[in-house]
Amino acid sequence: QEIANGMKKGYPAARNRSQQSNDTEEEGVEEKEKWILQVMLLTPTKAIASLEQCQQAQSDSTPTMEIMWPNYIHPLGLANCDIEEKMPSSAYRKLMEAFECMRIKPTPNSSLVVDLGASPGGWTSVIDKFFPSTHIIAVDRADLDPKLMKKKDKITVVKGDAFTFQPPPIPPTMNPNKTNDSSSITTWMISDIISYPDRITELLGNWCSNKWASHMIVTMKFQKEADFDELDRAIETVTKHGYHCRVKHFFNNKNEVTIMVSSPRGNLPSSSLSASILQHDSLGSSMYTK
């Protein structure tokens, strides 16, 4: 309000926002049109401004993902993924960005998330924190963070090789109820494992060919220069099995990219996102187009 009062002196012709507009917003009714005003300050006295209407957009490679461009949720395209509590590792931010970019999430009460190469538990912690009704299978040769190891009712820790692990037909501690039989359980695979790019392509090929998951979020890490040839092979491997694939270098990615895989709409279920995901206003960016 102080800023608005100060601007009135320089813009005396500007009209106040109507009371009806405020009431509509309070009732949760979305406006038909959304516009984004962006201002970049070049010097203390010089700035560049842009005003553009938000339009529905769609990526040819990922038609199941709903995108607005420019995006009014995170107009700067940057992700503030910080969580105040202590996390097992800072890698959790990459998973939060991926969820926001994909605009879909595990379905409550009927999803299993398999975290391959889970230790110390950064990605597992995100699932545990934001999806309390989702069961997790964490696969790694090393232990997870002690707090996660204690949550045996929700997190099943499997000591073993992430590349040879095969998901069980029904989660170990997830008993189907009257409205949720075993056939309705959706499996997600997530992985931030440290490995050569060709092993990641092999991993994706194994999971996609066997249709073990409806959605996958996997990091491909590079040693020095980005291996775009191997990345292309990974994308080709995913798409030839009927999945949609999207690759992004997120703000929190280092010398790596995040590969996001989703099944075609109507094939395997998922839960759509209508606004900022996980009831967390500072999550991720959905300002992505190919």
Side-chain angles (χ1 to χ4, degrees):
Q1 186 62 42
E2 292 179 2
I3 295 176
N5 292 335
M7 294 183 68
K8 286 181 179 179
K9 298 178 181 179
Y11 303 94
R15 293 176 295 176
N16 291 328
R17 193 174 184 181
S18 66
Q19 184 62 39
Q20 182 180 0
S21 176
N22 291 332
D23 293 341
T24 301
E25 191 173 73
E26 290 177 1
E27 294 172 2
V29 179
E30 294 186 0
E31 299 175 1
K32 293 183 179 181
E33 294 184 356
K34 292 186 181 295
W35 293 73
I36 286 183
L37 172 64
Q38 300 182 91
V39 180
M40 181 172 66
L41 190 65
L42 299 178
T43 70
T45 59
K46 186 183 296 184
I48 297 177
S50 70
L51 179 64
E52 188 171 357
Q53 183 180 359
C54 300
Q55 302 283 353
Q56 186 72 34
Q58 191 176 68
S59 170
D60 293 336
S61 62
T62 52
T64 61
M65 299 182 188
E66 299 176 357
I67 305 168
M68 292 295 292
W69 184 264
N71 188 274
Y72 60 88
I73 302 173
H74 303 288
L76 293 180
L78 296 176
N80 180 14
C81 297
D82 292 328
I83 296 178
E84 292 184 1
E85 65 189 75
K86 185 178 180 181
M87 299 290 279
S89 73
S90 61
Y92 73 87
R93 298 184 180 94
K94 293 181 286 185
L95 181 62
M96 293 167 73
E97 279 194 285
F99 276 130
E100 184 68 10
C101 178
M102 293 179 74
R103 308 301 297 156
I104 44 183
K105 62 181 180 179
T107 305
N109 301 313
S110 61
S111 291
L112 165 70
V113 175
V114 179
D115 187 356
L116 301 178
S119 182
W123 284 27
T124 295
S125 294
V126 171
I127 304 299
D128 177 56
K129 179 178 179 63
F130 294 108
F131 305 106
S133 60
T134 298
H135 187 83
I136 308 165
I137 296 180
V139 184
D140 206 303
R141 298 185 187 277
D143 287 339
L144 271 64
D145 183 91
K147 293 182 179 180
L148 297 174
M149 294 293 290
K150 295 178 181 178
K151 299 185 177 183
K152 297 181 179 181
D153 59 329
K154 181 180 179 182
I155 302 173
T156 300
V157 179
V158 177
K159 291 291 189 69
D161 186 358
F163 291 97
T164 60
F165 175 81
Q166 297 183 16
I170 301 177
T173 61
M174 203 174 168
N175 297 320
N177 53 43
K178 295 180 180 179
T179 59
N180 179 28
D181 58 28
S182 59
S183 63
S184 69
I185 296 174
T186 303
T187 300
W188 282 63
M189 186 271 279
I190 60 176
S191 179
D192 191 36
I193 193 170
I194 299 175
S195 182
Y196 291 108
D198 61 330
R199 294 299 307 277
I200 299 303
T201 301
E202 178 185 341
L203 178 69
L204 287 168
N206 196 26
W207 277 73
C208 290
S209 62
N210 287 285
K211 298 293 190 294
W212 283 338
S214 62
H215 300 82
M216 294 166 245
I217 301 173
V218 180
T219 304
M220 178 178 281
K221 303 176 186 292
F222 306 114
Q223 289 185 299
K224 295 181 180 179
E225 298 295 326
D227 190 345
F228 291 111
D229 290 337
E230 189 59 45
L231 181 58
D232 286 340
R233 281 190 284 271
I235 296 172
E236 182 181 356
T237 298
V238 169
T239 55
K240 77 177 182 180
H241 290 296
Y243 287 83
H244 299 305
C245 182
R246 195 174 192 186
V247 179
K248 286 294 174 184
H249 181 273
F250 289 125
F251 181 80
N252 289 287
N253 279 130
K254 297 179 181 178
N255 189 26
E256 59 192 4
V257 293
T258 300
I259 303 174
M260 295 162 284
V261 178
S262 62
S263 61
R265 188 181 299 274
N267 181 11
L268 295 172
S270 65
S271 180
S272 298
L273 299 174
S274 57
S276 185
I277 70 170
L278 312 184
Q279 304 298 318
H280 188 71
D281 293 337
S282 64
L283 273 183
S285 167
S286 53
M287 209 174 154
Y288 301 92
T289 58
K290 183 177 179 180

